[in-house]
Amino acid sequence: MVGSGWRKAKLALGGLNLCLYSSEALDGSGDASPPDRRDDDASLETEFSDLGAPALNAPTLSSSSLWARASRSGSGSSKRTCAICLATMKPGQGHALFTAECSHSFHFRCIASNVKFGNHVCPVCRAKWKEVPFQGPSFAESSHVRSRINPVIWPHHGGHMNIRRQNSVPLLRSSERSVFDDDESLGSPSKVSGVPPHGCAKMVEISTYPEYPAISQSASTENFTVLIHLKAPLVPRTQNPGKDVHGDAQVPRSYRAPVDLVTVLDVSGSMSGTKLALLKQAMGFVIQNLGPSDRLSVITFSSTARRLFPLRRMSESGRQEALQAVNLLTTSGGTNIAEGLRKGAKVIEDRKEKNPVCSIILLSDGQDTYIFTPTIRNGQATEPDYRSLVPSSIRDGSVHHVPVHVFGFGSDHDSASMHSISETSGGTFSFIEAECAIQDAFAQCIGGLLSVVVQEMQVRLECSHPDVHLRCIKSGRYPSRVADDGRSGTVAAGDMYADEERDYLVSVNVPPADVDTPLLKVSCAYGDPVTKEVMRPEAVQVKIPRPVLVVSQTMSLEVDCQRNRLQAAEAMVEARAAAERGELSEAVSVLEDCRKRIVESEAGKSGERLCVSLDAELKEMQERMVSQQRYEAAGRAYVLSGLSSHLCQRATTRGDMTESGSFVQSYQTPSMVDMLQRSQTFSPVTRRSNPKMRHTRSFPAGPKPR
């Protein structure tokens, strides 16, 4: 039977219309001619690298014009480079090579993954292929496929591998799953790598600071302020990391909970060029700094949204696939943020297993062009309901608290909608003004996510004296509630990163008394994300001395600092409202008045670091309101990012991250600083070649501003 050997070889690669050229068909110049099919028992000898198990997952192809070429050593093609992985395509090193209809060649693995992730054009010349290669479901990930398809046997012969097929069926491209329950298994939950026997050795520290150290016996006050200060523990680092339960080598890391991270990335037409290149580099940094127990899924959106791959552990192979998928991203189309978030939320909703920590990172440089259309009422445009961009599962809390950390990229993004998304979900909003700051912005964010030590913290306040009542709780973005009788209150403090600090101002009335007056009992409870235990630190009692006479006393600087922080946030809200009305002079005046109050406060006069930072930040906001054009391009997003930071008491990116002022470092934790320092050395070649990236950032060595 003529050509039976070649037909067998074609069937071994999927039974599809694929032209296969053996090494004997290539001359020294690398040109190919059709093989001689007279030998019925001919076998295809193709060079493969040391793929190990993944060799069983050889991609199948559907193209009459894509050729498998096994080049013998010394051919003229030995100096060519694969345009996807940039590695040399040198024969004799165990790589299957393919040449497309446009004559450009690639590694077998690279071009198969290229098509697998949706790219149907040549990566070199952008020629659109009429028929494209594709890769079927992974044997490693799809047990139901493994049960139906017999593996291909790859016997070794003299450095080559003969491809023989045993009754397999072709793997067909399938449409996107309706249910995203194909997340990679977490492994044994009882053997999380790096976990100490009893979780974190320390617990959250509770401190209290009364507004004044004493109140005279005869005095009474209706609004006496007490500062509640919380500090999360700083977890120890492993000394001998070794390997995790999956056999992957680990770098020294903190005892921490693994993360499920979903990145939702804008790949619309406006993200082309440098923006896309820097996004790929930033995502590469994220991928390389996730641990083997962390899982990542990437969603891209333009006019529609697409899941590049399911939640995968960032093991060595997982990182490789993720990097390859990200490196193959291309841009086109409009901006459908809502669809991207919907698909990202679906990945989280449908997952079969759950890591203790979960978050979404959203990046966009544009405005959603699919949900909102201008609505005019009484001659004026109405404010859109940006909450509708957030999937209901996240908005109403039906999914376990999943914050969306949002990054507005450049001057054209819709900062109002992006800020609203972060506010609705409990995340943060960062403004990446300079393109080169995207990697540092991501680094700071994941530095926090990879150090969560407290989950779902609830702070409880109870009045200790029968005549003491709570008046209000100022907790910023964190929901708080005072009981109807004023005798108790709560704050939903959420998650905390290692060594992170939170401050809440509580107002109570203080009645006259001739003995020391107990005011409050402060307690908290939270979940340890590693051990799953409920932690209950020792409660703290707040008691105020009652001397007969108080001659003079100074206000607590800690209380004054936090009061200044909240006043600055209120000034930002007021100034923004004025700027939106076009009254920029009023906006600048509001900020100026706040600056004066901060400078003249006790904490300001003492040079408290937070007060110095607030003054510098408010001044920067004033400069971004000198004109309507300046405000719309860089002022609005800057103000909203500052608001997000101060009300969440969490670090956000504002501007280009190159300022030496301490306000860009407010609320940074040690893990964030560590990740930022890694970012500085992650891609030294790129940073040296790009003058915009050559900057020096000073990281605070002392305590963070409060």
Side-chain angles (χ1 to χ4, degrees):
M1 196 182 304
V2 178
S4 62
W6 282 98
R7 281 194 294 273
K8 289 179 181 179
K10 289 168 65 178
L11 289 173
L13 290 178
L16 301 173
N17 189 14
L18 171 67
C19 294
L20 303 168
Y21 280 54
S22 70
S23 59
E24 286 74 12
L26 299 175
D27 60 22
S29 63
D31 297 330
S33 58
D36 185 357
R37 300 190 179 184
R38 290 175 297 178
D39 185 359
D40 290 5
D41 298 322
S43 63
L44 173 65
E45 292 188 290
T46 306
E47 301 172 27
F48 279 89
S49 61
D50 51 339
L51 300 178
L56 301 179
N57 189 26
T60 59
L61 307 179
S62 175
S63 175
S64 59
S65 54
L66 189 67
W67 302 19
R69 306 176 59 176
S71 306
R72 64 176 179 266
S73 178
S75 73
S77 63
S78 62
K79 295 183 179 180
R80 289 180 299 177
T81 301
C82 175
I84 297 176
C85 70
L86 302 183
T88 302
M89 294 190 296
K90 186 176 181 180
Q93 291 186 340
H95 294 281
L97 309 180
F98 290 85
T99 299
E101 57 194 271
C102 57
S103 300
H104 290 114
S105 300
F106 312 92
H107 287 125
F108 186 101
R109 289 186 299 177
C110 296
I111 199 62
S113 294
N114 186 13
V115 173
K116 174 183 177 181
F117 295 114
N119 292 277
H120 298 171
V121 296
C122 175
V124 178
C125 66
R126 314 306 297 170
K128 188 173 182 179
W129 293 335
K130 296 178 182 178
E131 295 182 351
V132 295
F134 65 87
Q135 184 171 15
S138 168
F139 282 86
E141 298 176 4
S142 304
S143 58
H144 66 282
V145 173
R146 186 185 302 112
S147 65
R148 299 193 338 260
I149 303 175
N150 295 325
V152 178
I153 298 178
W154 309 95
H156 289 264
H157 291 284
H160 292 67
M161 291 184 178
N162 289 346
I163 303 177
R164 293 192 178 95
R165 178 180 177 279
Q166 292 187 346
N167 300 323
S168 35
V169 297
L171 303 178
L172 303 178
R173 178 192 291 274
S174 60
S175 59
E176 188 171 67
R177 302 171 66 101
S178 59
V179 179
F180 293 160
D181 59 355
D182 52 348
D183 50 301
E184 186 172 0
S185 174
L186 300 178
S188 174
S190 61
K191 296 183 179 180
V192 178
S193 177
V195 178
H198 305 290
C200 185
K202 296 184 179 180
M203 290 195 286
V204 169
E205 297 176 3
I206 305 174
S207 305
T208 58
Y209 300 88
E211 182 177 4
Y212 291 99
I215 299 176
S216 63
Q217 293 180 3
S218 59
S220 65
T221 176
E222 289 300 314
N223 287 289
F224 186 78
T225 302
V226 177
L227 170 65
I228 310 299
H229 178 75
L230 307 175
K231 185 174 182 179
L234 179 61
V235 293
R237 296 178 69 86
T238 57
Q239 298 299 320
N240 300 302
K243 295 185 177 181
D244 74 346
V245 293
H246 306 285
D248 295 305
Q250 291 183 289
V251 296
R253 61 182 70 249
S254 299
Y255 297 121
R256 65 169 180 85
V259 178
D260 280 345
L261 178 63
V262 179
T263 58
V264 181
L265 309 176
D266 186 345
V267 292
S268 60
S270 58
M271 281 290 294
S272 61
T274 303
K275 284 185 178 180
L276 182 63
L278 291 172
L279 172 60
K280 291 179 180 181
Q281 178 176 300
M283 279 301 300
F285 176 83
V286 171
I287 291 166
Q288 294 289 10
N289 282 277
L290 292 176
S293 296
D294 301 315
R295 298 191 301 178
L296 173 70
S297 179
V298 176
I299 306 294
T300 59
F301 68 91
S302 52
S303 300
T304 59
R306 184 164 61 95
R307 185 186 67 158
L308 294 191
F309 53 86
L311 280 171
R312 278 207 66 177
R313 289 193 309 105
M314 288 297 98
S315 58
E316 200 63 38
S317 59
R319 286 196 192 105
Q320 189 64 31
E321 178 174 334
L323 287 169
Q324 195 166 46
V326 168
N327 285 334
L328 295 173
L329 290 177
T330 57
T331 59
S332 65
T335 306
N336 196 337
I337 296 174
E339 181 63 14
L341 279 176
R342 186 195 68 80
K343 196 149 289 188
K346 185 172 177 58
V347 170
I348 294 171
E349 293 172 37
D350 294 352
R351 55 188 171 153
K352 292 183 298 184
E353 300 182 53
K354 299 179 181 180
N355 264 327
V357 180
C358 182
S359 185
I360 294 175
I361 286 179
L362 167 67
L363 177 133
S364 178
D365 75 333
Q367 303 185 24
D368 191 290
T369 55
Y370 288 82
I371 296 297
F372 299 119
T373 56
T375 302
I376 307 299
R377 291 181 182 175
N378 300 325
Q380 292 186 339
T382 60
E383 181 80 5
D385 180 17
Y386 292 124
R387 285 173 52 88
S388 61
L389 288 170
V390 182
S392 59
S393 60
I394 294 177
R395 191 171 62 242
D396 59 23
S398 59
V399 173
H400 170 72
H401 176 63
V402 180
V404 181
H405 297 287
V406 183
F407 296 84
F409 197 17
S411 60
D412 295 328
H413 74 278
D414 185 354
S415 55
S417 67
M418 303 288 271
H419 176 260
S420 179
I421 291 170
S422 68
E423 188 176 35
T424 301
S425 66
T428 55
F429 169 63
S430 290
F431 170 37
I432 306 175
E433 185 172 18
E435 293 176 352
C436 61
I438 181 173
Q439 181 173 302
D440 286 348
F442 279 14
Q444 180 170 262
C445 181
I446 66 167
L449 294 176
L450 297 181
S451 65
V452 173
V453 293
V454 170
Q455 285 190 309
E456 298 183 357
M457 175 184 282
Q458 291 286 330
V459 180
R460 181 168 178 80
L461 309 171
E462 299 173 82
C463 295
S464 303
H465 191 280
D467 294 328
V468 173
H469 294 81
L470 285 171
R471 298 304 186 195
C472 70
I473 302 172
K474 295 182 178 180
S475 55
R477 192 65 53 76
Y478 301 96
S480 61
R481 178 181 176 275
V482 176
D484 293 339
D485 60 2
R487 296 290 295 161
S488 63
T490 57
V491 179
D495 298 353
M496 292 184 72
Y497 304 150
D499 208 45
E500 191 171 34
E501 300 177 44
R502 295 275 171 76
D503 294 284
Y504 309 115
L505 292 179
V506 179
S507 293
V508 298
N509 72 300
V510 181
D514 54 7
V515 294
D516 293 353
T517 306
L519 300 180
L520 293 170
K521 176 185 176 183
V522 184
S523 61
C524 71
Y526 61 90
D528 185 316
V530 174
T531 66
K532 307 295 190 297
E533 296 179 19
V534 176
M535 311 299 290
R536 302 182 187 277
E538 184 177 355
V540 173
Q541 295 281 351
V542 182
K543 183 180 292 187
I544 192 76
R546 307 302 298 269
V548 175
L549 181 65
V550 176
V551 178
S552 65
Q553 57 185 349
T554 304
M555 177 187 292
S556 164
L557 295 182
E558 290 82 3
V559 171
D560 203 25
C561 272
Q562 296 307 315
R563 188 172 282 162
N564 285 338
R565 172 179 63 85
L566 293 174
Q567 287 179 354
E570 292 170 0
M572 293 175 195
V573 172
E574 187 179 350
R576 184 204 166 205
E580 297 296 337
R581 298 192 302 267
E583 299 171 358
L584 293 177
S585 58
E586 179 184 341
V588 171
S589 178
V590 168
L591 296 176
E592 183 64 26
D593 290 343
C594 185
R595 289 182 63 195
K596 289 180 180 179
R597 290 195 299 271
I598 291 174
V599 171
E600 293 171 359
S601 67
E602 291 296 327
K605 292 176 183 177
S606 299
E608 287 291 311
R609 184 175 166 190
L610 178 58
C611 296
V612 174
S613 299
L614 289 171
D615 180 56
E617 186 172 6
L618 293 173
K619 180 181 178 181
E620 178 68 21
M621 291 179 183
Q622 288 178 303
E623 294 174 355
R624 292 170 181 262
M625 294 180 177
V626 295
S627 69
Q628 196 67 31
Q629 181 181 7
R630 171 73 168 148
Y631 171 73
E632 292 179 358
R636 180 187 292 116
Y638 195 92
V639 171
L640 290 173
S641 182
L643 264 177
S644 178
S645 179
H646 293 303
L647 293 181
C648 291
Q649 299 181 66
R650 185 160 279 175
T652 64
T653 298
R654 300 194 281 296
D656 62 4
M657 293 285 288
T658 62
E659 298 96 334
S660 59
S662 58
F663 64 85
V664 299
Q665 301 160 358
S666 297
Y667 315 113
Q668 281 182 351
T669 65
S671 57
M672 291 179 179
V673 173
D674 176 63
M675 199 63 71
L676 280 165
Q677 290 172 338
R678 292 190 202 180
S679 175
Q680 290 293 289
T681 58
F682 176 71
S683 183
V685 175
T686 304
R687 288 178 181 269
R688 283 197 300 269
S689 62
N690 188 342
K692 291 184 178 180
M693 290 188 174
R694 291 200 305 265
H695 62 265
T696 302
R697 187 193 309 107
S698 59
F699 296 101
K704 299 180 294 301
R706 288 208 308 265

